[in-house]
Each structure stands twice: as C-alpha cells, then as structure tokens.
Amino acid sequence: MKPHRLVLALFTGILCLLLADSCKHAIPFPIDNSTGGTGGTGGSGGTGSTADSCDPSNVYFQQQVLPILVSYCAQPGCHDNASHREGVTLVSYASVMQTGGVTPGDPSRSRLYRIISDGSMPPNGYAKPSASQLALISQWIQQGAKDLVCQNLCDSGVYTYSAAIQPLMASQCQGCHNSTNASGGVDLSSYAGVKAEVSSGRLWGSVSGAAGLVQMPLNGNKLSDCQLAQIQKWIAAGAPNN
C-alpha cells in the first residue's frame, strides 16, 4: 500500500471510531403498546436513564417542584392562567417567580412557602401537599429557587406501582384527584382508584392526549416520554399492586 493511502486508511479508521463512540446514547423507549413488559418482572430493573445521572443534591424545578404547584395550586378557580386568584399564577417558572412571592435562598421570607406550610393554601376542603413535598419546595428555595431541569430523574426501566406509578400520581395528579376533592369523580390517591381508571382506559387516554379526553395533568406540562413509558409498561404488565 502506498504511503498516502496508508495515512488515509488510518485517518478513516480513527474517524469511524470517534463517530461510533459519540453515538453511545440511550435510545428513548418507544411509546408503543407492543413494547410493554410482562407480569412478574416489570419494574425490577434500573437501566432506563443512568448514563447522565442528575445531581441528587439538587432540586430540579421542572421535574420536582412545578408538578406539585400545578397539581395542588393551579386548579380551576385558583392559581391557573384563567383564574389567577389574588394575582397569583403558578403554572410556569416565570409565573411562579413573578407572582408567588419567592425570595431565593430564604423559605421563611417566601410567601409561596409560608402559606403552603402553615396550611392556609390550598384552602380547607382541598388536599394539601405532603411533608416530603413541602420539604422539597423549601429545599428548592434554599438552593436559590433556580429553574433547573434534569430529564434523567425518570428511569423507564422502573415501573412498579410503589416505585414509579404511585409517586407519579402523588406529584402530578393527587392535588385534584384525591379522596377529599375528587375532581371529575376521580380519586387517584389509592391503588384501587388508579386501577379503576386504568380499567376504564381513561388514565392512559388522558395522559397520552387521546381524542375526546382532557389531557392531564391539567394546566401542567405533558408527562415526559419516560413517564409515559413507565405507565404504559405497568399497564401492559397488568397494572399490578407491586
């Protein structure tokens, strides 16, 4: 082989190796009914999104805080875009920071945190955020109330009811759909209530945006592909109480 051809071959080989290495990214789980797991084995793994893990010391507003605020506070008649009760709208980072009275770094001086933590809001008769959800909001403010995003908080390889579905319902849905205030007659605060919505087809239809159903979460961001994959895999496995 002539010298210049040898150099060209070596360069081409190195380039191919570099390109191959740059493409080692996780392939998104296809939202397709044919790909769901089977009963008994679903949710035992943890392989969905481990390549670029989030910093566990950070609170990610878009994935962890905003869903709580939308579910418990941005209901019709309260703090959604249409109602903006008392001038407060809690449906996006911008609206939370502009109208929620958040003082970055100091939860005690943040009106948003004070009125939720003292029980003033949501008002009596409505479900209240849990202690762990309050702690998450407090930690977010202490960390500077930043608009952090991390899609890899979700792992589509985990889809048991206890590890994935119940926490998802708690953060995204239970503010409206609970035993105290079951909007639309839907209570997602228990396994029995969630399973009933699965059996009717309304749970998957509403979160996936099926025609004829109101897309959920109401007033919030659509669930991520990973979260939809978790729900779909769990349903395909028979929606067990696991």
Side-chain angles (χ1 to χ4, degrees):
M1 181 180 289
K2 293 183 180 181
H4 71 278
R5 291 182 178 178
L6 178 60
V7 171
L8 179 60
L10 288 172
F11 174 78
T12 302
I14 293 171
L15 180 60
C16 289
L17 287 173
L18 289 173
L19 288 173
D21 185 66
S22 68
C23 293
K24 292 178 181 177
H25 298 293
I27 300 174
F29 176 80
I31 307 301
D32 187 306
N33 285 331
S34 64
T35 60
T38 57
T41 61
S44 60
T47 59
S49 51
T50 58
D52 299 308
S53 59
C54 307
D55 184 343
S57 65
N58 287 337
V59 176
Y60 294 89
F61 178 81
Q62 294 295 333
Q63 284 72 42
Q64 295 177 290
V65 176
L66 184 59
I68 297 171
L69 298 179
V70 169
S71 179
Y72 288 87
C73 307
Q75 300 180 27
C78 295
H79 303 297
D80 59 352
N81 278 323
S83 307
H84 48 84
R85 188 174 177 180
E86 297 179 355
V88 176
T89 305
L90 303 175
V91 298
S92 68
Y93 179 77
S95 66
V96 170
M97 297 305 293
Q98 290 170 4
T99 68
V102 175
T103 301
D106 193 344
S108 66
R109 295 179 58 199
S110 299
R111 183 170 182 268
L112 175 69
Y113 178 73
R114 291 201 314 271
I115 64 175
I116 295 177
S117 61
D118 69 11
S120 300
M121 295 295 291
N124 292 333
Y126 289 82
K128 312 265 185 191
S130 66
S132 61
Q133 290 172 328
L134 283 173
L136 201 62
I137 295 172
S138 175
Q139 186 181 354
W140 168 68
I141 296 174
Q142 288 174 344
Q143 291 181 353
K146 299 175 183 177
D147 188 18
L148 298 183
V149 177
C150 185
Q151 299 294 346
N152 289 329
L153 283 174
C154 175
D155 182 350
S156 64
V158 176
Y159 53 95
T160 60
Y161 179 75
S162 59
I165 307 305
Q166 192 281 326
L168 187 59
M169 296 297 107
S171 66
Q172 302 275 357
C173 310
Q174 287 181 17
C176 291
H177 303 292
N178 55 79
S179 59
T180 303
N181 179 38
S183 179
V186 177
D187 179 6
L188 299 177
S189 62
S190 67
Y191 169 75
V194 175
K195 183 63 183 295
E197 292 305 300
V198 169
S199 299
S200 71
R202 290 191 297 264
L203 180 67
W204 177 251
S206 61
V207 298
S208 64
L213 292 173
V214 177
Q215 182 171 306
M216 295 292 173
L218 185 66
N219 297 319
N221 296 327
K222 183 179 179 180
L223 297 183
S224 68
D225 286 347
C226 177
Q227 291 169 325
L228 290 172
Q230 287 178 315
I231 295 173
Q232 188 183 52
K233 286 181 174 182
W234 177 67
I235 292 174
N241 187 10
N242 52 1

